[in-house]
Amino acid sequence: MEKAKGNLNLADAASMLKGGKNGKLFIPGNPEISLLLERIHLPFDNEKRMPPKGKPALTAEEMAILTLWVKGNAEIDKKVIDLPQQDSLRILATAFLGPEAPMEEKYNFSSANSETVKKLNNDYRVISSLDKASPALAVNIYNKSIYKPEAIQELTAIQKQIVFLNLNGLPVKDEELKTIATFENLRKLNLNFTSIKGEGLKQLTGLKYLNALSLSGTAVDFNSVKQLLKMSNLKELSLWRTSLSDAEIGQLHKMGTGINIIVGFKDDGNNPIKLNQPRLNTAISIFKNTLPIQIKHAINGVEIRYTTDGTEPDSLQSPLYNQGIEIKESGTLKAKAYKKGWYGSDVFAFDFLQSKYKPDSIAFIVAPSEKYKGDGPKTLIDDQLGTHDIQNGKWIGYNDNMAFIMYFKKPIPLQSVSVHLMKKVPSHILLPEELEIWGGTSDKNLRLLQVIKNQMPVKDEADAFIKLDATFASQPISCIKILGKNFKKLPEWHTGKGQPAWIFMDEILLN
């Protein structure tokens, strides 16, 4: 069995409630101090973020569902259907997950051939019985990256037995609805966040047993939806996050007497949820001249405020993001999301580093540690920053003095050299005690351009990525030599007292 990370086991309710080495996963009734909610809102590059890097990130809707569930005392055994009709959690969960087919209904059709069902089951399509004694089948299809219409067409072999079909998040188009319309006993259909536009919805009006249809997050419009209201058995219609206006929804309510139209979570100010952070459209952090970027947020109607001067953005004075930003120099972009009825998000911060020039060649004068040599000298000019993981191959590490040299075939008008470094005091990684920048027309004709000196850090200094900048009068440079002297002895308070400190660097910036 794979070892549970942090001793956290989610295999059953009891283990989940127990928590892991960092304590309980959540505190019922208190989302603000629950570890689960804290971890899912961490920045994407934080190694403690949940889900971890490489796994699909939670959507804003999923985060909201978890927050409301914890706020409602995190009742493990309570069903969505047991919540009040207008409860915020019920509205979100029903719209996002789709309604469940009732277990007690009796069906007047025979069971499907078991071998046929077994053959149709695979890694992306799961077919299961609603109950051991029932002929009714529930079908869930997953993985939008490999989805093809054949995944639905092949189900015609069991079309009489399908009562629940979940296509949530798949690139299903209106053309596929013609096949779905042949599933004559279908009761529940989840088309949330599919590519449905609406022109094929008329195909579904002949499904006389269909009582719940979910169209949240699709491009359907008023005219395509209103034709569904003549379906005599339709009881629940989910239209959350569609383009329909409040006025159009009001019309549908009047026309569809007896149909529960779900239009999403309308916060009344009594249950505010913290917005998740804005996102950038790029992971590029090093640029040559300019870098156009866009900031996005998963929730409609969010207002994004930002700064580029290192200050914290606020909801009134900071610039309002509109269509895009052009980054023209090194700096830190900070952005925060706001929306009426929600708590503002945590600040999203992203460093942009300008580097106008690249050397034609670069070489180590002193070789780095064999364990932390990255991809050789080019690691320092590959436009890729390292993370807090020192084992990821993006860092050059020295346990002694460092030295390297860079050459240019043609002189460049240089006026600054920056070295991007890591500071991680508990791991013995400090800034250089002294950094020397030399430059000239050749390696035989170098002069000292600047010296940067650093103090020994204090005991509880936080981990950080730091850019040391050497600036000088612009001058033609064909060769640069950079020397770094490490602290030879860690202080008495350090667990490695008396040992030499490490220097870790990942990028040299030339402007």
Side-chain angles (χ1 to χ4, degrees):
M1 179 181 292
E2 186 179 351
K3 186 177 179 181
K5 188 173 182 180
N7 297 323
L8 177 62
N9 184 357
L10 302 179
D12 54 70
S15 300
M16 182 175 69
L17 291 171
K18 182 180 178 182
K21 71 175 184 180
N22 292 316
K24 291 186 177 297
L25 190 60
F26 50 82
I27 307 300
N30 289 285
E32 297 83 4
I33 58 173
S34 291
L35 183 63
L36 170 66
L37 280 307
E38 176 189 331
R39 292 291 176 86
I40 66 175
H41 284 98
L42 287 172
F44 287 93
D45 59 354
N46 193 304
E47 59 187 14
K48 293 182 179 180
R49 180 182 169 86
M50 292 173 61
K53 189 176 181 181
K55 301 293 184 181
L58 295 182
T59 64
E61 294 78 28
E62 289 169 326
M63 290 181 178
I65 288 171
L66 284 172
T67 302
L68 288 172
W69 177 68
V70 172
K71 189 169 185 175
N73 291 319
E75 297 178 86
I76 298 289
D77 298 324
K78 197 161 192 174
K79 298 177 182 179
V80 172
I81 199 170
D82 294 333
L83 296 168
Q85 188 75 23
Q86 296 305 314
D87 183 87
S88 300
L89 178 56
R90 175 168 177 165
I91 291 172
L92 272 175
T94 302
F96 186 74
L97 302 173
E100 290 295 329
M103 295 290 292
E104 67 276 5
E105 185 173 354
K106 302 298 181 181
Y107 302 98
N108 61 358
F109 49 83
S110 59
S111 300
N113 181 278
S114 59
E115 287 301 314
T116 301
V117 173
K118 184 177 180 181
K119 187 177 180 180
L120 289 171
N121 261 306
N122 52 41
D123 292 338
Y124 64 88
R125 183 175 56 203
V126 176
I127 303 168
S128 55
S129 296
L130 292 188
D131 185 78
K132 289 182 179 179
S134 172
L137 298 176
V139 179
N140 290 273
I141 304 179
Y142 310 96
N143 200 336
K144 65 180 181 180
S145 63
I146 62 171
Y147 169 79
K148 292 181 180 179
E150 287 81 357
I152 295 175
Q153 292 169 6
E154 291 166 355
L155 294 173
T156 55
I158 54 171
Q159 62 188 42
K160 285 189 177 183
Q161 288 79 23
I162 298 174
V163 301
F164 175 57
L165 179 60
N166 180 16
L167 303 172
N168 181 64
L170 297 176
V172 176
K173 297 181 180 179
D174 288 78
E175 295 77 39
E176 280 102 293
L177 298 184
K178 187 174 182 179
T179 302
I180 294 172
T182 66
F183 301 167
E184 58 194 79
N185 291 305
L186 191 63
R187 267 72 167 170
K188 317 287 180 184
L189 176 59
N190 187 340
L191 295 170
N192 287 344
F193 303 96
T194 59
S195 299
I196 297 297
K197 294 183 178 179
E199 59 264 26
L201 290 179
K202 61 184 178 183
Q203 302 284 349
L204 303 180
T205 57
L207 292 171
K208 61 181 180 179
Y209 296 110
L210 189 66
N211 58 57
L213 176 60
S214 298
L215 296 168
S216 299
T218 63
V220 296
D221 58 20
F222 176 76
N223 288 326
S224 62
V225 171
K226 72 176 183 180
Q227 62 189 325
L228 299 172
L229 303 183
K230 63 184 179 182
M231 299 174 68
S232 59
N233 208 44
L234 190 63
K235 301 300 179 188
E236 199 162 73
L237 180 60
S238 175
L239 298 172
W240 184 49
R241 281 186 66 181
T242 62
S243 62
L244 274 74
S245 67
D246 289 342
E248 290 173 330
I249 293 295
Q251 280 186 266
L252 293 176
H253 273 295
K254 293 178 181 178
M255 297 165 62
T257 306
I259 298 178
N260 178 26
I261 299 176
I262 300 172
V263 291
F265 174 53
K266 299 290 186 181
D267 202 302
D268 57 5
N270 297 320
N271 297 287
I273 303 170
K274 179 185 281 190
L275 290 166
N276 54 322
Q277 292 173 308
R279 300 182 188 181
L280 292 183
N281 68 328
T282 180
I284 296 172
S285 54
I286 299 177
F287 65 100
K288 184 176 180 180
N289 295 313
T290 61
L291 180 65
I293 62 168
Q294 292 182 331
I295 311 175
K296 298 182 178 181
H297 200 279
I299 297 177
N300 291 334
V302 164
E303 186 178 86
I304 298 174
R305 299 277 179 169
Y306 72 95
T307 61
T308 56
D309 60 3
T311 60
E312 299 294 297
D314 62 47
S315 61
L316 298 174
Q317 302 298 323
S318 300
L320 175 64
Y321 174 78
N322 189 7
Q323 293 182 329
I325 303 172
E326 189 170 67
I327 303 296
K328 297 181 178 179
E329 58 185 23
S330 296
T332 299
L333 171 77
K334 293 186 176 182
K336 192 170 181 178
Y338 296 93
K339 187 175 183 180
K340 186 178 180 180
W342 299 66
Y343 289 127
S345 72
D346 292 328
V347 174
F348 172 84
F350 196 86
D351 292 326
F352 291 99
L353 304 173
Q354 187 175 39
S355 188
K356 289 186 176 181
Y357 307 108
K358 282 203 185 301
D360 295 295
S361 61
I362 180 171
F364 293 132
I365 299 173
V366 176
S369 163
E370 189 65 25
K371 188 177 180 181
Y372 303 110
K373 61 181 181 179
D375 196 20
K378 67 180 182 181
T379 304
L380 299 175
I381 54 171
D382 64 358
D383 293 342
Q384 296 185 43
L385 297 179
T387 65
H388 286 284
D389 179 10
I390 62 175
Q391 308 286 350
N392 69 353
K394 301 299 181 185
W395 291 101
I396 300 295
Y398 282 89
N399 197 210
D400 202 339
N401 292 340
M402 70 174 192
F404 57 93
I405 194 164
M406 296 181 285
Y407 296 96
F408 301 85
K409 293 178 181 178
K410 294 181 179 180
I412 60 170
L414 194 67
Q415 61 182 21
S416 74
V417 175
S418 302
V419 182
H420 198 257
L421 301 126
M422 174 189 283
K423 181 184 68 175
K424 206 168 189 176
V425 177
S427 299
H428 303 197
I429 301 171
L430 278 56
L431 298 179
E433 182 177 19
E434 194 171 283
L435 189 69
E436 296 180 359
I437 309 295
W438 296 73
T441 55
S442 71
D443 55 7
K444 306 297 184 185
N445 183 29
L446 296 174
R447 58 188 177 279
L448 184 62
L449 299 176
Q450 192 166 341
V451 178
I452 300 173
K453 295 185 178 181
N454 297 295
Q455 299 295 318
M456 176 71 73
V458 297
K459 185 175 182 179
D460 297 319
E461 255 181 62
D463 297 349
F465 301 122
I466 296 175
K467 181 167 65 74
L468 295 182
D469 300 314
T471 58
F472 36 84
S474 180
Q475 53 195 284
I477 297 289
S478 297
C479 183
I480 301 169
K481 183 170 72 173
I482 299 180
L483 306 176
K485 299 177 182 178
N486 71 326
F487 286 97
K488 299 303 178 186
K489 290 185 177 181
L490 292 168
E492 287 295 315
W493 51 259
H494 201 284
T495 55
K497 62 181 180 180
Q499 298 177 29
W502 284 80
I503 299 173
F504 270 71
M505 58 182 174
D506 63 349
E507 201 72 20
I508 308 300
L509 312 168
L510 306 171
N511 294 290

